[in-house]
Amino acid sequence: MATDKTRGWSGDSFDRYKEYRYCAAMSVIGFVYSGLQACHLCYDLITQKHAANFHHLRCYFDFAMDQILAYLMISASSSAATRVDDWVSNWGKDQFANIATASIGMSFLAFAAFAISSLISGYNFCHQSAAAA
């Protein structure tokens, strides 16, 4: 999405539209969170120790973050998709709209990954809560 800049008659760029900036920002935040979570889980698997002192609260944190990021990702994706639809209905398809559509498709895939992660963390959250009781 960030590389979606045209040099043609429209001179458009993704950063001129807040919907596209929101989608790009949520993608970056989701990527950073997922990367940090993957590093933490790899550390746990390799050392057989928990990297943080709050490992008993981890299921709460994972569940909350997965839920928040899933909702924000679908919100960002749908707002950007609405902008592309408006763009195409007003000016027709062009390279700018094609690149934005591809980026939004990837954003919807990221939402699907967060939704699945949310289901898994929800299961872990309920399973740990039941085991503690």
Side-chain angles (χ1 to χ4, degrees), residues 20-56:
Y20 295 155
R21 289 191 312 256
Y22 176 41
C23 188
M26 284 313 309
S27 296
V28 168
I29 290 169
F31 178 78
V32 169
Y33 169 73
S34 297
L36 291 173
Q37 190 175 33
C39 289
H40 184 265
L41 289 173
C42 286
Y43 178 82
D44 281 352
L45 289 172
I46 291 169
T47 63
Q48 298 296 316
K49 294 188 283 185
H50 295 287
N53 292 336
F54 63 92
H55 67 275
H56 60 284

Side-chain angles (χ1 to χ4, degrees), residues 18-131:
K18 58 186 160 195
E19 295 90 345
Y20 295 155
R21 289 191 312 256
Y22 176 41
C23 188
M26 284 313 309
S27 296
V28 168
I29 290 169
F31 178 78
V32 169
Y33 169 73
S34 297
L36 291 173
Q37 190 175 33
C39 289
H40 184 265
L41 289 173
C42 286
Y43 178 82
D44 281 352
L45 289 172
I46 291 169
T47 63
Q48 298 296 316
K49 294 188 283 185
H50 295 287
N53 292 336
F54 63 92
H55 67 275
H56 60 284
L57 297 175
R58 181 170 176 114
C59 67
Y60 296 104
F61 177 76
D62 287 345
F63 180 66
M65 287 301 295
D66 288 344
Q67 286 284 311
I68 290 167
L69 287 173
Y71 284 116
L72 288 174
M73 190 63 72
I74 193 68
S75 169
S77 301
S78 57
S79 70
T82 303
R83 171 53 72 181
V84 168
D85 183 54
D86 183 49
W87 176 272
V88 170
S89 66
N90 287 331
W91 293 287
K93 275 203 164 287
D94 63 353
Q95 187 66 20
F96 183 79
N98 290 338
I99 293 172
T101 301
S103 298
I104 293 165
M106 295 302 291
S107 182
F108 275 114
L109 287 175
F111 159 72
F114 277 115
I116 292 168
S117 179
S118 180
L119 290 172
I120 293 169
S121 63
Y123 172 79
N124 290 338
F125 175 74
C126 291
H127 185 36
Q128 184 177 2
S129 297

